[in-house]
Amino acid sequence: MSLDPENTLVMETTKGRVVIKLRPDLAPGHVERLKTLSRQGFYDGIVFHRVIDGFMAQVGCPHGTGTGGSDLPDLKAEFNAEPHVRGICSMARSQNPNSANSQFFIVFDDARFLDKQYTVWGQVVEGMETVDNIKRGEPVRDPDSIVSMKVMADA
């Protein structure tokens, strides 16, 4: 598979490497936000604060609690028809559809009940076994974290 370096994220975690293919065709605003925050080093050191076995691993809160986002404004929803299945990357949000900011989750298994209600912006193309090994919990005790997340073009 050929990856566009400008639309690929390389996430080094405490469990190993994960490569995510970005989908600007589905969610251009969300993809731009992920690239902007990655280039700022925002995700470096942030913990996986909510990891539910058989469902998903969530990350992107600077407080490690699921309560915060970046200094940038919230995003307008870009809901799409891409199914929430294993390896899909989607934005976390509050009850307000236009409240996504920096938090996202990676789906472990079929979660089609989320379809068209959360913005899918990418898919893990390498390292899903790494995601499978992230420590579980709600909240996670002694959580795993993103060591660094970079746009492949910059790496």
Side-chain angles (χ1 to χ4, degrees):
M1 170 191 346
S2 154
L3 294 172
D4 171 6
E6 186 56 35
N7 284 302
T8 305
L9 293 176
V10 179
M11 181 170 66
E12 296 291 343
T13 75
T14 47
K15 293 292 191 199
R17 180 179 168 177
V18 179
V19 178
I20 300 169
K21 177 183 178 181
L22 298 171
R23 296 288 308 273
D25 58 314
L26 296 177
H30 287 69
V31 165
E32 195 53 45
R33 172 63 54 87
L34 271 290
K35 290 176 8 179
T36 296
L37 292 175
S38 295
R39 285 181 163 133
Q40 290 175 354
F42 176 87
Y43 291 106
D44 301 357
I46 289 188
V47 300
F48 287 89
H49 65 273
R50 183 172 180 239
V51 185
I52 303 170
D53 201 36
F55 180 32
M56 58 89 214
Q58 188 169 326
V59 68
C61 172
H63 313 300
T65 59
T67 59
S70 73
D71 292 336
L72 300 172
D74 288 347
L75 293 161
K76 183 170 178 9
E78 294 177 301
F79 300 158
N80 51 65
E82 196 68 17
H84 283 78
V85 294
R86 181 170 170 76
I88 284 294
C89 302
S90 191
M91 286 307 266
R93 61 172 178 81
S94 70
Q95 288 186 322
N96 176 351
N98 300 313
S99 62
N101 189 296
S102 63
Q103 294 187 51
F104 66 91
F105 58 93
I106 302 172
V107 179
F108 289 125
D109 291 308
D110 191 308
R112 301 290 307 266
F113 61 93
L114 300 175
D115 291 0
K116 299 180 184 172
Q117 298 177 64
Y118 290 81
T119 300
V120 172
W121 55 264
Q123 179 163 12
V124 173
V125 293
E126 179 188 315
M128 196 57 203
E129 64 285 345
T130 297
V131 178
D132 288 337
N133 288 324
I134 292 170
K135 194 179 297 176
R136 309 299 202 256
E138 246 190 310
V140 184
R141 292 174 54 127
D142 189 25
D144 288 305
S145 64
I146 295 174
V147 175
S148 73
M149 190 156 90
K150 296 187 176 1
V151 178
M152 185 181 273
D154 303 338

